[in-house]
Amino acid sequence: MIEKIGGYRMDLERHDVLDRLTIPGDVLSKLCGVADIPDTLDLRDKIPVRNQQSEGACNGYAKRAADYLNHLLATGGEPQEFSGDGNYYVIQAIDGIRGDNGSTVSGGVTMAHEVGAIRIEDFPETGSYDPQRLPRNYKDLAAPFKCAKTAIIQSDHVNRVKQWLGLGYGGVWWGKAWGFRFDGRGNATGWSASGGGHATAILGYDARGFHCLNSWGKAWQGTGWYHVPYDLFEKVCRHQWTVVAATSDMSEIKPRKIDWVKDSINA
């Protein structure tokens, strides 16, 4: 058992939930199909950067970024902002965690599939921990934004995350020990499992690695985003405390037989 050392509660992950949501590699490969994906996917000018401020809400904000991309894809480009605070408090309720003590990815994917996501207009972010603000009808507010599919990726992480993103299926986020080293321009140059648990979104890629969105505002690393080379990403993913979660509002991906918007439960 490890001590709680950050907003992502690695020590409280429910591995029975994660195992149940893991799609076997051969099934995931078949699901993703053989369609070509773009060489690059850069959404950094399309997805807003937000700041969790003093809360241990990183997992709620990472899910919020994945929710944003899911809705953008499902509606054909109509933006809808979701609440990182709202996600955080609901995930904590699922996890059974009290106080500003973080949350788990297993709770986040459970929320995505069974509860949904809360729009920011229904639950504004304050940066101050106050789960009592969560309205009694939060499940009704979140229900229209449930995810049709959730998946935990446990092998061949680089290729499967690239497929999920490149085929326009949905968003991805990951929880891990936060031990990255950066060059000051948002490029990760190294990592060790020496820091507290932290969750961030994975929302794009290029020839060298993944574009990840943090939740510490635009001033962090100059943009609020960071870039992880593929070899370093795979190294982090192989660590025992790392969990990679993929969510989608689609029942199928390319090559598609159903129009995206007609297929979406959010349409």
Side-chain angles (χ1 to χ4, degrees):
M1 179 68 69
I2 63 171
E3 294 181 356
K4 183 279 230 189
I5 50 177
Y8 167 50
R9 291 302 299 268
M10 304 175 287
D11 55 325
L12 295 180
E13 277 293 9
R14 289 188 55 191
H15 290 278
D16 59 327
V17 173
L18 297 176
D19 290 343
R20 188 170 70 246
L21 291 171
T22 298
I23 297 179
D26 58 338
V27 176
L28 184 58
S29 296
K30 184 177 180 181
L31 178 68
C32 290
V34 295
D36 292 334
I37 63 172
D39 292 335
T40 63
L41 177 68
D42 192 345
L43 302 173
R44 287 176 291 179
D45 63 342
K46 292 182 170 58
I47 300 177
V49 179
R50 305 201 68 81
N51 193 339
Q52 70 188 75
Q53 299 186 59
S54 62
E55 292 183 286
C58 57
N59 187 45
Y61 279 74
K63 177 183 179 296
R64 158 261 150 197
D67 293 335
Y68 189 96
L69 179 55
N70 289 343
H71 190 270
L72 207 65
L73 292 167
T75 59
E78 178 185 343
Q80 171 61 64
E81 184 59 278
F82 297 94
S83 173
D85 282 359
N87 281 348
Y88 179 37
Y89 303 150
V90 174
I91 297 169
Q92 281 202 311
I94 293 170
D95 288 334
I97 297 175
R98 294 182 177 274
D100 189 11
N101 294 308
S103 63
T104 70
V105 171
S106 55
V109 291
T110 299
M111 179 185 177
H113 187 65
E114 297 182 3
V115 181
I118 300 176
R119 299 181 306 169
I120 200 164
E121 54 261 44
D122 292 325
F123 195 83
E125 297 167 354
T126 67
S128 178
Y129 186 73
D130 185 10
Q132 299 304 315
R133 290 193 300 118
L134 200 63
R136 292 181 180 273
N137 67 333
Y138 74 84
K139 291 185 178 180
D140 294 331
L141 296 173
F145 305 103
K146 292 179 181 179
C147 287
K149 283 191 182 299
T150 55
I152 302 299
I153 298 174
Q154 292 190 340
S155 63
D156 196 16
H157 301 89
V158 167
N159 288 329
R160 287 168 181 156
V161 171
K162 283 184 69 176
Q163 283 179 312
W164 198 276
L165 295 171
L167 292 170
Y169 201 36
V172 182
W173 84 95
W174 59 333
K176 63 279 180 197
W178 187 251
F180 282 111
R181 296 185 297 276
F182 295 98
D183 64 0
R185 299 185 301 276
N187 298 302
T189 59
W191 176 85
S192 64
S194 58
H198 190 50
T200 56
I202 310 167
L203 301 174
Y205 59 86
D206 58 20
R208 298 180 300 109
F210 288 110
H211 298 300
C212 301
L213 177 58
N214 204 351
S215 53
W216 294 342
K218 290 184 178 181
W220 182 78
Q221 296 292 317
T223 63
W225 293 77
Y226 66 102
H227 185 272
V228 183
Y230 290 129
D231 58 346
L232 185 56
F233 181 83
E234 195 66 50
K235 175 184 177 180
V236 179
C237 287
R238 289 196 299 267
H239 192 268
Q240 61 179 334
W241 296 338
T242 301
V243 178
V244 182
T247 57
S248 176
D249 193 41
M250 307 298 172
S251 64
E252 60 176 19
I253 52 180
K254 295 178 182 177
R256 299 183 56 78
K257 298 184 291 291
I258 308 171
D259 178 82
W260 282 8
V261 175
K262 289 181 181 179
D263 185 29
S264 168
I265 60 174
N266 293 337

